Amino acid sequence: MKKNILWLIATLLLTSNVQAQNLEQQLLNKNKQNKTYVAQFVETKSMPKLKKETKKEGTLYFRAPGELAMRYTNPDGDYSIILADGKFITRRGQKKTDIPMNPNPPSTFYTLRNTLLLSMQGDVAGVAKENEANFTIKKEGKNIVCRIEKNKPAKGGVNTLDLIYDEQTGGLLLLRLNEANGNYTEYAASNGKMNADIPEKTWEL
């Protein structure tokens, strides 16, 4: 009887692992077909302990493999842009910043840049590796849901990430960065269009 239970548990674990690997590959394959992705987005920054929350919104543009622009309409004129050469440039009000990318050791913004790009590509394993973390992946309704947890949680900064993708298109619907203190930053996308034309002026600074 005990052997039968152990065999059943082993079978269930193996089945679960195979299903997870299939979902992971499915997500990668879908995104390999997508050269561009354009969507509306809402950015939410929440600090529950301070009972403070701010929201911004705009349009997100992704051109595979490594260009991402988040152009805000509220506040109008702000942007965060990752260029093909790897530069990460932001504008907040009248201040434009070319953020230094330090790979050794990886700076917070270096990791964030790579996390954003890998998330857009549907490369969940890549996101986990970039953040020195492990991940789970499963299907929920019409979505593929991923949770990424750092192997060595820190007292400060991001410890877990939540990713939600549309199963049919592979498009990223939600990215949430959860900090150890309960704060989080969430990017929720809607009305996404795959392989849409992106004007070159999108990348102008």
Side-chain angles (χ1 to χ4, degrees):
M1 183 67 166
K2 185 176 180 180
K3 288 183 179 180
N4 288 339
I5 293 174
L6 291 174
W7 178 85
L8 179 60
I9 292 173
T11 302
L12 290 173
L13 288 173
L14 179 60
T15 301
S16 178
N17 287 337
V18 170
Q19 290 175 340
Q21 289 172 3
N22 289 342
L23 276 177
E24 181 187 348
Q25 193 59 51
Q26 174 188 333
L27 191 56
L28 280 172
N29 291 341
K30 287 282 185 182
N31 278 282
K32 285 178 181 178
Q33 300 171 19
N34 301 326
K35 302 305 179 184
T36 65
Y37 179 47
V38 179
Q40 303 304 305
F41 77 92
V42 176
E43 174 191 300
T44 303
K45 290 184 179 291
S46 179
M47 293 180 280
K49 291 181 180 178
L50 298 178
K51 297 182 179 180
K52 183 177 180 181
E53 182 176 279
T54 60
K55 287 184 180 289
K56 301 179 182 180
E57 58 187 42
T59 304
L60 175 154
Y61 305 87
F62 174 68
R63 184 160 63 187
E67 293 175 277
L68 175 65
M70 301 174 71
R71 289 195 169 273
Y72 296 85
T73 53
N74 179 24
D76 189 38
D78 283 9
Y79 58 69
S80 296
I81 297 179
I82 299 172
L83 298 173
D85 60 6
K87 287 186 176 180
F88 192 163
I89 300 170
T90 64
R91 177 178 173 176
R92 300 292 184 265
Q94 298 302 312
K95 183 179 180 180
K96 186 167 66 174
T97 305
D98 186 346
I99 302 173
M101 295 288 105
N102 301 316
N104 294 308
S107 65
T108 298
F109 278 99
Y110 178 86
T111 299
L112 176 61
R113 180 197 66 182
N114 294 345
T115 296
L116 290 172
L117 293 176
L118 290 166
S119 297
M120 296 304 302
Q121 295 168 19
D123 188 353
V124 181
V127 175
K129 182 178 180 180
E130 185 67 34
N131 289 273
E132 299 181 344
N134 53 55
F135 72 94
T136 59
I137 183 169
K138 62 182 178 179
K139 180 180 175 182
E140 286 188 4
K142 296 181 180 180
N143 297 330
I144 295 175
V145 178
C146 311
R147 162 55 70 101
I148 295 169
E149 298 188 28
K150 288 195 174 183
N151 298 323
K152 296 180 180 179
K155 292 182 179 180
V158 175
N159 276 340
T160 65
L161 299 90
D162 293 306
L163 297 162
I164 300 178
Y165 294 89
D166 181 277
E167 183 189 20
Q168 184 176 2
T169 66
L172 181 65
L173 299 177
L174 183 139
L175 167 61
R176 179 166 165 165
L177 308 163
N178 305 297
E179 299 181 33
N181 60 6
N183 296 347
Y184 67 83
T185 302
E186 179 181 282
Y187 301 93
S190 61
N191 302 318
K193 295 180 180 179
M194 300 299 177
N195 298 311
D197 291 334
I198 299 178
E200 284 303 316
K201 66 179 182 180
T202 301
W203 315 105
E204 293 176 1
L205 303 174

